[in-house]
Amino acid sequence: MKRIISFICLIVCTLIWGTTFVAQDTGMDHIGPFTFNSTRFFVAFLAVLPFVLIFEKDKIIKYVKSEKKMFIKLMIPVGLSLFLGTQLQQISLIYTDVANSAFFTIFYVPLVPIIIYFLFSDTPHWSVWPSVVVCVLGGYFLSDFKDAEVRLGDGLVLLGAIFWALHIIYIGKLVTKFNLPFFIALLQNLAVAVLSFLLVIIFEEINFDKIILESFEILYAGILSGGAAFVLQLFGQKHISPAPAAIIMSLEGVFATVSAWIILNQVLGFGNIIGCFLILSGVLISQLLPLFDPKFKNI
């Protein structure tokens, strides 16, 4: 039952992330990427704060005080990887479209088990590997490439996929050891907001009139994506290990394409439908096959 609940949390999380691609794209009509991310994650910080005070205020001292060094050691890569991943993804949308950004983002799917294997010598279930191939192939069809060269934006998203993979891995380790999903989400949102604000000071201007013009996109990306979705990710990864979790979250490419089709009137062709089917198949393979293997428990 716990695994089913975690699976549902990751699906809802991925749905929010997928639709947020549209808000991220349209949210830079009047402001720069650093301003968007700074305000977005500050809103996310405020959205999560009440839940920390209500549900985890007393637990923080209990869980963190005894192993403060370990918490900080895991929290730093979580915050930094999220910051770098979001910045690269946001900047990429200036140079590439939603479909391409969604496709290259899900390259964290093959990167997660590879990084886990080489850094931590942790071997995932064999079903992860065919699932990875199917998901990446599905992402290719979803992007609707037609002899397109890899543009600057695509390269930025591909680089960002490394940090998304690291974020998923370290979130898995952190939430398994410290049962503080709201507090972890709060700290990572604050880290991204503050670091993004430093980039705003250096590279952009602070213009509240322009920020207000993007208020809907900022609130959507902040409250739902930065707030609700990242908390759901933490709950989801509590009972699902990083490699299969990454495969589930690759569905964000499907949701991004469908939302772009509905909201931005982008055409959803036959290839896009095949891509959606392949990614869904990859998710099912990663989740169902290990259930029939009683010898494997690390799922």
Side-chain angles (χ1 to χ4, degrees):
M1 177 58 71
K2 290 181 179 179
R3 184 174 173 81
I4 293 174
I5 294 174
S6 291
F7 179 80
I8 294 172
C9 286
L10 288 178
I11 290 293
V12 177
C13 162
T14 303
L15 170 62
I16 296 172
W17 280 349
T19 56
T20 302
F21 269 98
V22 175
Q24 289 178 248
D25 189 31
T26 59
M28 292 189 294
D29 290 341
H30 302 94
I31 59 177
F34 304 135
T35 301
F36 182 83
N37 271 342
S38 181
T39 52
R40 164 194 176 184
F41 278 94
F42 182 67
V43 169
F45 168 80
L46 294 178
V48 176
L49 181 59
F51 294 94
V52 174
L53 296 177
I54 295 172
F55 297 108
E56 295 180 351
K57 184 178 179 181
D58 296 329
K59 292 168 60 178
I60 291 173
I61 298 176
K62 175 184 175 182
Y63 279 99
V64 177
K65 189 175 181 180
S66 59
E67 297 187 70
K68 185 177 180 180
K69 290 184 178 179
M70 177 60 69
F71 183 82
I72 295 174
K73 182 180 178 181
L74 293 173
M75 193 68 232
I76 289 175
V78 164
L80 285 177
S81 58
L82 179 60
F83 165 70
L84 293 170
T86 53
Q87 299 307 324
L88 289 167
Q89 185 185 77
Q90 192 65 38
I91 295 170
S92 75
L93 287 169
I94 299 174
Y95 304 102
T96 190
D97 53 32
V98 170
N100 278 28
S101 185
F103 166 60
F104 282 109
T105 294
I106 67 170
F107 260 79
Y108 62 65
V109 175
L111 288 173
V112 166
I114 291 171
I115 293 173
I116 289 175
Y117 179 76
F118 284 104
L119 288 187
F120 305 104
S121 300
D122 187 5
T123 304
H125 190 267
W126 65 266
S127 63
V128 164
W129 302 110
S131 299
V132 163
V133 174
V134 172
C135 285
V136 172
L137 182 61
Y140 176 80
F141 279 100
L142 208 59
S143 67
D144 198 22
F145 281 156
K146 294 180 180 177
D147 297 323
E149 62 180 351
V150 178
R151 293 168 289 181
L152 173 61
D154 302 331
L156 290 173
V157 186
L158 189 57
L159 178 61
I162 298 173
F163 298 108
W164 287 117
L166 290 170
H167 182 255
I168 291 170
I169 292 168
Y170 280 101
I171 278 290
K173 292 184 174 296
L174 186 60
V175 77
T176 301
K177 193 167 186 64
F178 299 94
N179 187 24
L180 295 166
F182 293 113
F183 184 57
I184 294 169
L186 182 80
L187 291 181
Q188 69 173 10
N189 288 337
L190 180 62
V192 177
V194 171
L195 292 173
S196 298
F197 183 69
L198 294 177
L199 294 179
V200 173
I201 295 173
I202 298 171
F203 297 106
E204 298 176 357
E205 63 173 356
I206 302 173
N207 190 320
F208 291 104
D209 292 331
K210 292 182 178 180
I211 291 173
I212 292 173
L213 293 175
E214 306 292 354
S215 57
F216 174 78
E217 288 82 359
I218 290 170
L219 290 173
Y220 187 93
I223 296 174
L224 290 180
S225 178
F230 279 115
V231 170
L232 287 169
Q233 179 196 3
L234 290 161
F235 277 110
Q237 287 196 241
K238 180 69 177 176
H239 300 289
I240 297 179
S241 57
I247 293 171
I248 296 171
M249 289 186 284
S250 70
L251 280 170
E252 72 176 302
V254 175
F255 294 130
T257 300
V258 173
S259 60
W261 169 55
I262 295 173
I263 301 171
L264 302 179
N265 297 318
Q266 294 181 2
V267 177
L268 187 63
F270 181 67
N272 302 131
I273 296 173
I274 292 176
C276 293
F277 175 76
L278 287 172
I279 292 177
L280 180 59
S281 298
V283 171
L284 292 176
I285 289 171
S286 72
Q287 295 303 298
L288 295 179
L289 288 185
L291 297 179
F292 298 97
D293 188 354
K295 295 180 181 180
F296 192 82
K297 301 299 181 182
N298 186 28
I299 59 174

